[in-house]
């Protein structure tokens, strides 16, 4: 009995770790909200005595939508309400009960689907971050090159790294995300075909590196052990290889261990971390300096925009979207949310091309009379 309880406890713990800590926290919050709702209606949270559970779910969803029982008391979007109901349904499944959202055919009930469809029509447009063009990065790197502040310099290098490798904030900064940031042992530097030893190579040898790679371990959507590398861009500042060299050199100087995150900075004999907030602030300052000619404002950008920026730069270079997906580790059409047609360079020739290529005749079928 003791062994059985021990193993069951371990199995249940594994179930909890099947999702990120953020997702698990959201699930707990959703269930607490559901429990409070049921207490108010004097209902068992598992609705064991309720035959038709969908109307109860609809009222719960409506009160969330209006903000009446939402955590901050504000109306929330349909997608967020769906997440709440999904967490509630998964809590039922976790104890062996049936998902209350499903009908007898084990599909989501028609009433819930139609309700969410109607709410989506009334939701405001999604506020997606704008991809930043290369002139923003040039401004950031120029300012960093003129600065003597180590934090400013490393923040700029992390921005360059995120842009070229299409990284999420949790992969290159110190953040509460479950995504593991790259560390020193994830980096490889090459001089031609020769792989440099990061422990014994001189600074001069590292500075001559022509190729750099990152090895994926616990990063989101990364295949464990997969290596993605890039060659020098030809620019001394805006270059993934040069940025990685500067980062590695700083970490070596501070005798950093192999597990030290690349977002760690040795500054005046103290360790500090580059955070998503620092990245966002730096990008916003550059956008503000460059002004409205960019076509967007500082409020439209954050650390998350660098992944979109890299993807759109590849799109402008006419790189096949499948290749962009491989580089960015997208496993679905989610990549299309990062690409935008609100881009003068991408769209400038299409009107002309439509005129030159828009004259054609269709192959007739048998019903079309012959001349």
């Amino acid at each position: 009995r003791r062994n059985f309880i021990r193993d069951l406890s371990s199995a249940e713990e594994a179930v909890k770790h099947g999702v990120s800590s953020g997702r698990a926290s959201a699930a707990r919050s959703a269930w607490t909200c559901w429990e409070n709702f049921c207490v108010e209606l004097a209902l068992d949270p598992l609705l064991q005595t309720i035959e038709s559970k969908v109307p109860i779910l609809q009222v719960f969803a409506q009160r969330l939508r209006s903000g009446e029982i939402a955590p901050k008391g504000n109306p929330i979007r349909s997608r967020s309400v769906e997440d709440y109901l999904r967490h509630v349904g998964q809590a039922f499944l976790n104890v062996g009960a049936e998902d209350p959202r499903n009908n007898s055919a084990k599909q989501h009930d028609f009433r819930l689907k139609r309700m969410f469809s109607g709410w989506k029509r009334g939701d405001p447009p999604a506020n997606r971050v704008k991809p930043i063009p290369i002139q923003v990065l040039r401004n950031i790197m120029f300012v960093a090159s003129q600065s003597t502040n180590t934090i400013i310099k490393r923040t700029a290098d992390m921005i360059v790294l995120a842009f070229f490798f299409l990284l999420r904030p949790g992969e290159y900064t110190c953040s509460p995300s479950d995504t593991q940031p790259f560390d020193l042992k994830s980096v490889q530097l090459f001089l031609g075909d020769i792989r440099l030893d990061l422990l014994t190579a001189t600074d001069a040898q590292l500075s001559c590196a022509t190729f750099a790679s990152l090895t994926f371990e616990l990063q989101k959507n990364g295949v464990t052990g997969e290596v993605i590398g890039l060659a020098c861009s030809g620019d001394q500042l805006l270059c993934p290889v040069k940025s990685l060299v500067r980062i590695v050199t700083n970490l070596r100087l501070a005798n950093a261990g192999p597990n030290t995150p690349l977002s760690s900075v040795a500054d005046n004999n103290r360790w500090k971390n580059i955070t998503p907030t620092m990245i966002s602030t730096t990008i916003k300052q550059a956008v503000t300096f460059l002004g409205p000619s960019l076509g967007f404002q500082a409020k439209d950008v954050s650390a998350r925009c660098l992944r979109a920026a890299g993807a759109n730069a590849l799109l402008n270079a006419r790189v096949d979207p499948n290749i962009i997906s491989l580089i960015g580790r997208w496993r679905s059409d989610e990549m299309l949310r990062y690409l935008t047609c609100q881009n003068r360079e991408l769209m400038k020739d299409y009107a002309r091309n439509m005129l030159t290529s828009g004259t054609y005749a269709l192959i007739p079928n048998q019903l079309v009379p012959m001349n």
Side-chain angles (χ1 to χ4, degrees):
R1 180 176 180 274
R2 183 172 59 252
N3 291 343
F4 183 89
I5 292 174
R6 178 200 64 202
D7 292 339
L8 178 60
S9 177
S10 297
E12 290 175 340
E13 199 63 28
V15 172
K16 292 179 182 178
H17 288 89
V19 295
S20 68
S21 60
R23 195 74 178 166
S25 177
R28 287 193 296 271
S29 296
W31 183 253
T32 299
C33 187
W34 169 255
E35 280 189 317
N36 293 337
F37 167 77
C38 289
V39 166
E40 184 179 343
L41 297 181
L43 294 173
D44 165 25
L46 290 177
L47 304 181
Q48 296 181 83
T49 61
I50 305 296
E51 183 174 348
S52 181
K53 299 177 175 58
V54 170
I56 307 297
L57 294 176
Q58 285 183 293
V59 173
F60 176 64
Q62 176 60 45
R63 292 184 182 180
L64 280 170
R65 170 75 169 174
S66 67
E68 182 179 343
I69 60 174
K72 295 183 179 180
N74 299 320
I76 60 178
R77 300 171 67 94
S78 60
R79 180 69 176 270
S80 298
V81 179
E82 279 190 90
D83 283 340
Y84 270 83
L85 260 64
R86 181 181 301 109
H87 290 312
V88 169
Q90 290 173 347
F92 275 65
L93 293 171
N94 194 46
V95 296
E98 293 187 357
D99 189 331
R101 298 172 297 165
N102 290 346
N103 56 26
S104 58
K106 306 298 182 183
Q107 296 177 337
H108 285 187
D109 188 88
F110 169 83
R111 290 164 289 181
L112 292 176
K113 290 195 292 186
R114 184 59 62 87
M115 181 178 69
F116 286 126
S117 178
W119 282 348
K120 286 177 182 178
R121 296 174 185 272
D123 280 342
N127 185 24
R128 292 188 292 168
V129 294
K130 298 291 190 290
I132 56 173
I134 204 69
Q135 54 265 42
V136 176
L137 297 180
R138 290 196 183 282
N139 176 267
I140 291 171
M141 291 307 297
F142 174 77
V143 171
S145 68
Q146 303 301 306
S147 175
T148 58
N149 187 305
T150 305
I151 299 296
I152 292 176
K153 288 180 174 293
R154 289 297 77 78
T155 300
D157 281 326
M158 298 311 292
I159 287 174
V160 169
L161 211 61
F163 170 78
F164 281 104
F165 280 96
L166 276 59
L167 302 181
R168 299 174 176 84
E171 295 171 338
Y172 68 96
T173 63
C174 180
S175 72
S177 168
D178 276 350
T179 298
Q180 181 72 30
F182 288 102
D183 53 27
L184 188 54
K185 70 176 183 296
S186 306
V187 179
Q188 294 184 106
L189 295 173
F190 297 81
L191 180 55
D193 294 331
I194 301 173
R195 182 167 58 178
L196 300 174
D197 189 326
L198 300 188
L199 294 178
T200 61
T202 65
D203 287 352
Q205 288 175 316
L206 293 183
S207 66
C208 294
T210 56
F211 192 88
S213 72
L214 293 173
T215 302
F216 289 84
E217 296 174 350
L218 299 175
Q219 288 72 30
K220 184 177 180 181
N221 286 358
V223 177
T224 302
E226 183 179 24
V227 178
I228 292 185
L230 293 170
C232 286
S233 67
D235 189 297
Q236 284 299 311
L237 295 177
L238 275 178
C239 174
V241 179
K242 301 300 182 186
S243 284
L244 268 175
V245 167
R246 289 189 286 266
I247 292 167
V248 169
T249 301
N250 177 267
L251 293 176
R252 289 202 323 173
L253 193 61
N255 297 315
N259 295 319
T260 304
L262 299 184
S263 56
S264 298
V265 182
D267 182 40
N268 295 326
N269 297 319
R270 293 182 58 190
W271 285 106
K272 298 180 180 178
N273 291 306
I274 305 298
T275 65
T277 299
M278 295 163 67
I279 298 290
S280 296
T281 299
T282 301
I283 295 172
K284 289 177 183 293
Q285 288 172 344
V287 169
T288 300
F289 175 80
L290 293 172
S293 63
L294 295 172
F296 55 88
Q297 304 175 64
K299 67 178 182 179
D300 297 321
V301 294
S302 71
R304 293 186 296 113
C305 74
L306 292 168
R307 185 165 161 81
N312 276 277
L314 290 170
L315 182 67
N316 284 356
R318 301 301 192 269
V319 174
D320 189 303
N322 290 326
I323 300 298
I324 300 176
S325 291
L326 285 173
I327 297 173
R329 291 109 50 222
W330 278 288
R331 302 295 185 230
S332 67
D333 291 338
E334 183 72 8
M335 177 198 69
L336 297 177
R337 296 183 66 250
Y338 287 82
L339 304 180
T340 178
C341 291
Q342 191 178 336
N343 184 323
R344 189 192 306 270
E345 187 62 29
L346 178 68
M347 302 299 293
K348 66 179 183 180
D349 294 327
Y350 285 145
R352 184 187 311 112
N353 292 343
M354 290 167 77
L355 285 181
T356 57
S357 303
T359 301
Y360 53 85
L362 300 181
I363 301 173
N365 61 25
Q366 288 82 352
L367 300 179
V368 177
M370 300 177 62
N371 292 335

